[in-house]
Amino acid sequence: MSGSRKIYLGTNTKMYKNIRQTVDFVTRLETLTKDIPRDGLELFVIPSYTTLAAARKSVPETDILIGAQNMCWEDQGQFTGEISPLMLEEVGVNLVMIGHSERRHVFRENDAEENRKVLAALKHGFVPLLCVGETGEEKEYGIAEEVIRTQLKVGFRGVPAEQAGKVMVAYEPVWAIGVNGKPASEDYAEKIHALIHRTLAEQFGREQGEKIPVLYGGSVNDGNAEKLIVMPHIDGLFIGRSAWDADHFNSIIRKVMPLFFQKSGTEGD
Ligand code: 13P
């Protein structure tokens, strides 16, 4: 296991929620979770670009980190339609999601591009949340492990070991995500999380590699969150649909936190 004493719980609101809906959501989530000590919980929300400035202003970053769903690797230039790290700095974003499966598969981003974004995010002081995961076809061919190792090795290429403590990973099997997704079983997720932790230890050395939290995402819901979080190598959950209602997200947070700390043998407060 990673030895992490903090649970990581976050949501990506994808291309849903306008400014008002996002502000209502983060404000309600902050109110509902205010009593939970943040030394045991890293809570984050990744809304759409147009909502970032308002979202960041409406809740303190000590309670909820706000992330962008993507970012260009260049500071400025002839990149029509892209958002630069400088623009994200201006709105006070804390983290940047890189290589979400919808970016990789709908918009054809590749590992080398994700790597440039990871390096740019670190350069600008954002936490890069690198998403990895195999497609259903790759799983059927029995090459899930090769695919994920490649995504990690290329995605984090050139990241110095001393910066490893500043990155996060989400394992999101493509076949598990979204309305047509089928959640991974806890045993399958655990097997892949163990592989991810091993690969990170190989890349950054054991001590530094162990600092990287690895979250599971893909059809996490009320029914499977508890089974997933008790697995030894799962450090948190990255949730889509089941977290878009703040009250529902809060109830998942309250269910999984005690189980996580029992597993880690530590108290959350
Ligand atoms: P769902 O939980 O809706 O499957 O989405 C997961 C996801 O893509 C988070 O980034």
Side-chain angles (χ1 to χ4, degrees), residues 74-121:
E74 291 289 344
D75 285 358
Q76 57 180 18
Q78 299 174 86
F79 297 98
T80 304
E82 289 291 307
I83 300 283
S84 111
L86 298 177
M87 296 165 185
L88 295 179
E89 257 176 30
E90 214 175 11
V91 293
V93 154
N94 310 102
L95 57 99
V96 179
M97 175 164 58
I98 293 167
H100 187 273
S101 87
E102 288 148 22
R103 297 301 319 167
R104 291 177 187 268
H105 299 288
V106 183
F107 298 100
R108 300 272 158 227
E109 290 183 9
N110 62 42
D111 288 329
E113 287 165 342
E114 313 307 6
N115 178 238
R116 296 177 81 175
K117 296 180 189 194
V118 165
L119 296 173

Side-chain angles (χ1 to χ4, degrees), residues 146-199:
E146 286 85 342
V147 169
I148 291 159
R149 278 175 61 78
T150 302
Q151 289 172 338
L152 291 169
K153 291 214 153 184
V154 180
F156 287 136
R157 183 168 176 267
V159 174
E162 59 276 12
Q163 295 229 48
K166 297 185 184 143
V167 310
M168 286 162 54
V169 171
Y171 170 54
E172 299 207 293
V174 181
W175 45 271
I177 295 177
V179 280
N180 299 316
K182 185 177 156 293
S185 71
E186 59 275 19
D187 292 331
Y188 184 79
E190 167 60 17
K191 183 180 92 169
I192 301 291
H193 277 247
L195 167 91
I196 293 173
H197 279 293
R198 276 200 307 279
T199 307

Side-chain angles (χ1 to χ4, degrees), residues 17 23 25 32 63 66 137 151-153 174 180 195 217 236-237 246 248:
K17 292 193 193 290
V23 168
F25 173 69
L32 291 169
D63 286 351
I66 299 290
E137 196 179 30
Q151 289 172 338
L152 291 169
K153 291 214 153 184
V174 181
N180 299 316
L195 167 91
L237 301 171
H248 197 192

Side-chain angles (χ1 to χ4, degrees), residues 37-57:
R38 292 313 200 254
D39 52 355
L41 166 68
E42 197 72 88
L43 184 60
F44 62 94
V45 174
I46 307 188
S48 59
Y49 284 130
T50 55
T51 70
L52 285 171
R56 183 58 297 157
K57 281 190 199 124

Side-chain angles (χ1 to χ4, degrees), residues 1-4 8 132 148-149 152 167-169 171 189-216 231-236 260 263:
M1 66 176 264
S2 73
S4 164
Y8 292 78
V132 298
I148 291 159
R149 278 175 61 78
L152 291 169
V167 310
M168 286 162 54
V169 171
Y171 170 54
E190 167 60 17
K191 183 180 92 169
I192 301 291
H193 277 247
L195 167 91
I196 293 173
H197 279 293
R198 276 200 307 279
T199 307
L200 294 170
E202 223 176 85
Q203 253 180 304
F204 297 111
R206 196 168 182 79
E207 194 187 325
Q208 289 302 107
E210 278 188 354
K211 291 185 181 161
I212 303 174
V214 184
L215 288 65
Y216 172 79
M231 301 316 279
H233 291 89
I234 297 184
D235 304 312
F260 177 83
K263 163 181 85 172

